[in-house]
Amino acid sequence: MPVTFNKSVRYTILTTLETDFFRYMKFLKLVTVLLFLLLPFSSFAVLVKGRVTDQKGMPLGFATVYVKGTTQGTVSNNEGYYQLDLAAGNYTIVCQFMGYEKHSQAVTVVQEKLLVNFTLLPQNMKLKEVTVNSGGEDPAYAIIRKAIAKRETYLNEVAAQEADVYIKGVLKLLALPEKVMFMKINLTAEDSAELGNGIMYLCESITHIAEQQPGKYKEDVLSARESGNSNGFGFNSPSMVKVNFYENLMRVANVHPRGIVSPISESALHYYKYKLEGSFYEDGQLINKILVTPKRKFEPLFQGGYINIVENSWRIHSVNMILTSESQISYIDTLRIEQVHVPVTTDKWRVKNQVFHMKASIMGISFGGDFVSVYSNYNLQPSFGKNYFDATMLSYQTGANKKSINYWDSIRPVPLNVEEKDDYVKKDSLEKHRSSPAYLDSMDRLINKFDVSSVIAGDHFYYRKSKFGFNTPGIFQMVNFNSVEGINIRLPLYFSKKYGDVPNNNYNELSFAPQARYGISNTHLQTKGTVAYTHNRGRFFKLKFSGGRWVYQYYNENPVNELYNLYYTLVQKNNYLKLYEAWFAKASGEVQIARGLQAGAEVSWQDRRSLDNTNDFSFAKKDKELSPNYPTDLLQQPMQSHQALLGTLSLSFNPGQKIIRYPNRNVYIPSKWPVFTLAYTKGIYGIAGSDVDYDKWKLTIKDNIKLRLLGNSSYQVSVGGFLNRNKVFVPDYTHFYGNQFALAIPYLTGFQLAPYYKYSNTESFYATLNFEHHFDGLLTNKIPGIRKLNWQLVAGTNAFYVNSKNNYAEVFAGIENIAGVLRIDGIAGYQGLTGKPQVGIRIGFSMNGGVSFNSGGNVED
């Protein structure tokens, strides 16, 4: 059915593409902005402005313009225009652009605007007179070797520094297909007018950065502006896109998990080819222009570009390098990085400006843009206080996103072009219109329509004015079949009310989830309700209360997906789903105690009763019998009725967490250290009729280890057991997360070929290990055909040990990133570590390094 871009779709295109679309596409991390903080401008400052062009009058966008002898400067916009605020006095203004001769102009600044244009000429390249013997190497190699020898010196030459950074980021819609996800797109004249010049995202930011070796870093955002989002802060973390060509393995905006090999890394000669294209003089120094090309494709390498090296000092003068899909980068098609280095002191150079030029596409929607960063006011001998570098890695000053237009016009070093000026005006006006009650009401009526997709897949309805939302189930959530209930009909509902700043994720939420479930075969009606309150302002905490009568899997973590079990029951007559019924009440809470430390508590009561199979319908052979509705590996007959009162305490600790401080909330960032979680459960005997009496504990350690060029490893290790087991029923056993379906369960918590209840126990000690390594293109980039598809190898092992008679191990290897999300593994499982292995195939999904989606089913929730 053709989709017309009426008001409803206009909301989707303009709000989603222009603002939320960028956030939704996490793969655009590479364009996380670099920020800039200018010293408060003097009331006597004079605006020096002009344009940078070539000899034919064509604009030179992103040319470097700065005051000689200082780090005060700017970059021209994409139309070649620049501007500087200078106090009255005499200056020499320098303009340079890669591939052109540097030009300087002496100016006298008085109390009025000053126009200074630059016309740059192509560099007069001269090739050194060298003798190259037959079979000899290009002169560029000798230069690169000297640059490599000095690499570590320049990497560590500054022990501490601070600087101001300005960033302007622009993303534009380049092409829109006729269809997206099989739906035809019809743009109305009104839609086309609102999309206008196609700018999807525009932001500016000003920040002060400070760093000290080894590894200390801090950012303070003074101001941030995002077109069409007055509450937004943009993407203001320079650390995420920090590019240092003196590092052996460069992290370039996280576009490659293994990192990108620098053209002057210690091992660069193994990866790149070099050609000296010529040399030129600049300020009396000879600069060597070297063409860099990769020796092999489909490696984490730049696919071409130039690096300019200063003769004798062998430091970087400037770079212009490009990454493409043949670099096996994620998220984008091409990324070109330009950097210009200038002397800050007589013997130390720093990055003056950096520009990212990128293009990407998803589902046929093509977009691209430029993110320009300008560094100024370097201080290479800062005096930081003893506790200056604390847990805060990034902070936003109060009112950072509330600066006036006059402020931005007076402070920005890179002028806006006409399109950008129009975009601010159009989208700021549009935002005011869209925030009006009348508009919110009309849009909510259009967006919150119940249609065919709502019936099939379920739907979410949200009313922005009242901040009220609710979910309705789809047909596959409402109807299922199993051997206990036969056809069972369910009605899961969800209602929520939010309080606070929803667009900026600074709100509290109250929710209510009533559910009903009726089995036609066993005629049992199950009902329950859950009330939850989440406090997300300041210190996080959550409270949840639930109760009713419901069905549970014997392993309450619900390892068996009910939809998958439907297929296996109807086609193979295997009912892996083992259910019991219970009246229950539960109260739980979790709270953030301190940075990196969270605590949880839960008290639950269940009146448990066994259930029997009441329906044996299947398309399989009629003479095959269903297994009983209880774990036959653990029970010889149905579980006896009993009551259980349980109390659980847990602590989770991730040492070294960092903080991003917004004016109204804090966000905690996981550290490089493992996450430690300790849980203790007490089966309380004699209270509220409880029949259970036991104590058990569990300690879990999990982490992700980046091995750079070798890939990325993840592991989870757990130990635990029963301290006493006076009276324990099957639901309270130690269970292992098994899987008997062809679809994979999470690799870091489960055992892909292990039967569901075969290894459950009440022993005093057990240990588990889940480990997988994502090669991230290593090895597969050597295989023709496979490397073009960007398929990647993954391998690992899962194992647990209880005692000499109860242990299991499996090894697996597979291919992930198939079509971007699919993963297929071959697995060999060993029961008791001896004998013939069980083999199988598991199909799963992976995103961003092979995180498998949970295919387990949740009966309770």
Side-chain angles (χ1 to χ4, degrees), residues 532-586:
Y533 175 75
T534 302
H535 181 90
N536 202 32
R537 293 170 163 179
R539 182 165 294 181
F540 167 86
F541 68 84
K542 183 175 184 178
L543 298 174
K544 183 187 290 188
F545 304 92
S546 59
R549 185 173 77 165
W550 205 248
V551 288
Y552 291 84
Q553 295 189 38
Y554 277 84
Y555 178 18
N556 284 182
E557 296 297 324
N558 305 311
V560 180
N561 183 290
E562 291 193 80
L563 185 60
Y564 302 163
N565 189 75
L566 165 68
Y567 168 82
Y568 278 79
T569 300
L570 294 179
V571 176
Q572 300 181 5
K573 212 169 185 177
N574 291 325
N575 56 324
Y576 296 113
L577 188 68
K578 308 300 180 183
L579 303 174
Y580 70 89
E581 181 180 82
W583 286 95
F584 79 98
K586 182 166 65 174

Side-chain angles (χ1 to χ4, degrees), residues 140-193:
Y141 285 86
I143 298 170
I144 290 296
R145 288 191 179 94
K146 293 176 181 177
I148 292 173
K150 296 286 287 185
R151 179 199 64 81
E152 189 170 0
T153 298
Y154 294 135
L155 177 66
N156 301 311
E157 70 174 339
V158 175
Q161 67 175 10
E162 56 184 348
D164 303 327
V165 188
Y166 165 87
I167 178 70
K168 181 176 72 175
V170 182
L171 278 180
K172 298 185 68 174
L173 181 66
L174 303 179
L176 192 65
E178 293 184 359
K179 294 182 179 180
V180 174
M181 296 293 290
F182 308 107
M183 295 187 299
K184 188 175 182 181
I185 296 178
N186 294 320
L187 284 176
T188 66
E190 184 179 6
D191 297 325
S192 299

Side-chain angles (χ1 to χ4, degrees), residues 627-699:
S627 61
N629 181 47
Y630 53 82
T632 55
D633 289 308
L634 306 176
L635 295 170
Q636 301 300 316
Q637 58 186 2
M639 177 182 68
Q640 70 179 83
S641 298
H642 66 278
Q643 296 175 327
L645 178 63
L646 309 177
T648 298
L649 296 174
S650 64
L651 282 175
S652 180
F653 181 48
N654 179 212
Q657 276 193 1
K658 296 294 186 179
I659 304 174
I660 297 178
R661 297 189 185 276
Y662 290 91
N664 50 15
R665 73 187 192 278
N666 294 336
V667 175
Y668 294 87
I669 307 301
S671 73
K672 64 181 180 179
W673 299 102
V675 177
F676 301 86
T677 302
L678 178 64
Y680 167 76
T681 299
K682 172 68 175 178
I684 305 171
Y685 181 77
I687 300 179
S690 178
D691 300 304
V692 298
D693 183 8
Y694 67 86
D695 296 82
K696 68 177 179 179
W697 64 282
K698 181 179 181 180
L699 173 64

